[in-house]
Amino acid sequence: MVDSPGSVTGTAVARGRIVAAAITGTTIGWYDFFLFLGAIPLVFFPRPAPADEVPTLVLLGAGFVGRLAGGALFGHFGDRLGRRSTLIATLVTLGLPTAAIGLLPGRAPLGFATLALLTLLRLVQGAGLGGEWAGAVLMAMEWEPDRLKRGFAASLPQVGVPLGLLLAMATLSAARLLPPDAFAAWGWRAPFLFSLALVGVCWRLRRGLPETPEFLRWRPRARTPDRPALEVVRHHWHQVAASARARLSADLLFYGCVVTVLRIGFGGGLSSDAGLALAATLLACATAAVAIPMAGHLSDRHGRGPVYGLGIAVLAVVATPLFTMLGSGVPILVLAAMLAAAAVHAIQYGPQAALIAEGFTPRLRYSGAALSYQLGSIPAGILVPAVSVLFPDRALFWIALGVVACCLVSASALLPPRRFLVTVALLSVLGAAFLVVAALSGRSGLAALVVQTVDGRSLLWQWVNNLGNVIALVSVAVWLTTWIAGRAARRRRDRVL
């Protein structure tokens, strides 16, 4: 066991245990998150009415507010006290609120006291997830002695996302096999209480783990930050904003797919088919569990930016057909869409952990990574469920449109100004060229071929292309605003120095 700064490699067994503890912790965090998301239409609002829309959105928003607050809180302790002790605290903060939700009254409609307590538990649960991700990634990454392998090491805790989703879908589907009365009385509580068993397993893995060698090397040589989260916001906000922007496209794709599959499996605007939802989730999670570390490995060989940029480019091309296939209701198309979405998402999600964490020095790395990641989660995590609740019949159209727009915003965080403007210009020219071909050929020729290939109704495709130039202009405006503000901040800093 490594307990001194002089020991920087550790044994293979120790590193394996550290990686297992990191993956288990992120799995618990995402299991809790997706479990609650799936339980909303089954338990808390089984007979949705217009009056239920506001409390549903409040409960969903509470989790993301808690995640941002938890990123700041646990980032403070992670940079001051160390990664290991902070991860013990995040584990408790994750598991206990989830089990407590399983003990709440589940009778609908929920009373004000139950809703208030549920919102509080979601805030605490979100705070735990907000601190868990950064800590788990840093434990895996900072324990890797070879810096040329850190992209792969940091990607391993990311596998907890598909594992948590699969586990949540599996436990909910198993509980729904009970008779309706039994499920309503006690069956829905079992998946929430199961979180305690997961916490027990992770506790045994994390108990007695050593601190990361990089933190031990840094601590004697640099001043411990008094308020690391505040220091990150004040002096490194440009890096935080860039990391958050880079996350938008992959996050919107991910939450769009997850919410759609949950609606397929557990009711909503689409016909309920738990078997199809579970099969789609299993296929997507298996693909992601392999593809995420593979993408992390590729980022070690070819660089974080090129691999991440490839993922953005591929997503911009396939977003429209993917969501069209998801909304078709045809089982084979839904399965194919989820498999492809998992692979495309992994190209960005694999190198994402190292890309974000390496943007900050070890002194502020926990706070910087946590705030960047959670800030980038809020737009997609809140907007996708909100659009699904408010516009159930047109949700996939707006989500696909948002993914295309966010691909440009994410590209602005990675590409130099000239390359970004060239990219936007090329996308705009391609969109305009398609419109010209469609106008000249009417319902025949190339336009008809594209329409039949992508969307039989063609509405989604036409709208995405019609609004392509507008999206490009908005994206350029967003990037220019950030770029001008960054230049102004650098000038002020240079004058001070």
Side-chain angles (χ1 to χ4, degrees), residues 132-480:
E132 172 65 30
W133 177 86
V137 164
L138 295 189
M139 281 293 288
M141 189 181 85
E142 293 183 352
W143 259 98
E144 174 54 58
D146 188 350
R147 292 183 178 273
L148 297 180
K149 297 180 180 179
R150 285 193 163 186
F152 174 76
S155 71
L156 293 176
Q158 304 276 71
V159 176
V161 176
L163 293 180
L165 172 60
L166 178 60
L167 196 58
M169 290 287 289
T171 54
L172 267 182
S173 298
R176 289 198 72 196
L177 295 177
L178 296 169
D181 292 341
F183 177 81
W186 59 269
W188 68 270
R189 304 177 188 277
F192 286 92
L193 297 176
F194 179 63
S195 180
L196 291 177
L198 296 176
V199 169
V201 172
C202 192
W203 182 277
R204 286 186 60 86
L205 287 171
R206 289 186 175 179
R207 188 180 60 182
L209 284 180
E211 185 55 81
T212 69
E214 187 158 347
F215 181 83
L216 295 175
R217 283 198 303 269
W218 156 79
R219 196 170 187 179
R221 300 200 303 256
R223 181 182 64 85
T224 302
D226 295 326
R227 294 182 292 275
L230 182 61
E231 191 170 334
V232 166
V233 172
R234 290 181 61 183
H235 301 294
H236 303 279
W237 66 267
H238 192 272
Q239 180 63 35
V240 172
S243 299
R245 292 205 317 275
R247 294 203 64 229
L248 288 179
S249 56
D251 242 32
L252 204 62
L253 168 70
F254 178 77
Y255 283 109
C257 292
V258 168
V259 169
T260 303
V261 169
L262 289 174
R263 291 177 65 202
I264 292 174
F266 305 123
L270 303 173
S271 58
S272 179
D273 189 342
L276 174 60
L278 189 59
T281 303
L282 176 61
L283 187 63
C285 291
T287 302
V290 175
I292 288 174
M294 187 180 299
H297 171 69
L298 289 176
S299 75
D300 286 327
R301 297 187 61 181
H302 304 291
R304 317 286 184 235
V307 176
Y308 203 94
L310 174 64
I312 294 174
V314 173
L315 178 56
V317 173
V318 304
T320 299
L322 278 182
F323 281 100
T324 303
M325 293 163 66
L326 277 176
S328 68
V330 180
I332 188 64
L333 293 182
V334 172
L335 293 174
M338 286 297 291
L339 187 151
V344 173
H345 177 263
I347 300 175
Q348 292 183 67
Y349 203 59
Q352 189 179 97
L355 179 73
I356 293 175
E358 289 173 346
F360 302 92
T361 62
R363 181 173 172 271
L364 299 172
R365 185 173 285 163
Y366 203 126
S367 297
L371 290 175
S372 300
Y373 186 89
Q374 303 309 332
L375 188 63
S377 299
I378 291 177
I382 292 181
L383 290 177
V384 169
V387 169
S388 299
V389 169
L390 299 176
F391 308 102
D393 296 330
R394 302 280 290 162
L396 294 183
F397 162 71
W398 292 112
I399 293 171
L401 190 62
V403 169
V404 175
C406 286
C407 283
L408 294 174
V409 177
S410 295
S412 74
L414 298 179
L415 295 175
R418 292 182 180 177
R419 292 186 184 178
F420 174 68
L421 293 176
V422 169
T423 302
V424 170
L426 288 175
L427 291 175
S428 301
V429 169
L430 289 175
F434 175 82
L435 289 176
V436 171
V437 172
L440 293 176
S441 59
R443 300 294 297 178
S444 61
L446 179 61
L449 177 63
V450 172
V451 167
Q452 292 302 319
T453 303
V454 180
D455 183 6
R457 295 173 300 169
S458 77
L459 183 62
L460 189 61
W461 179 270
Q462 288 180 5
W463 269 96
V464 169
N465 283 277
N466 286 338
L467 294 177
N469 290 326
V470 177
I471 294 169
L473 291 175
V474 172
S475 302
V476 171
V478 170
W479 176 83
L480 283 177

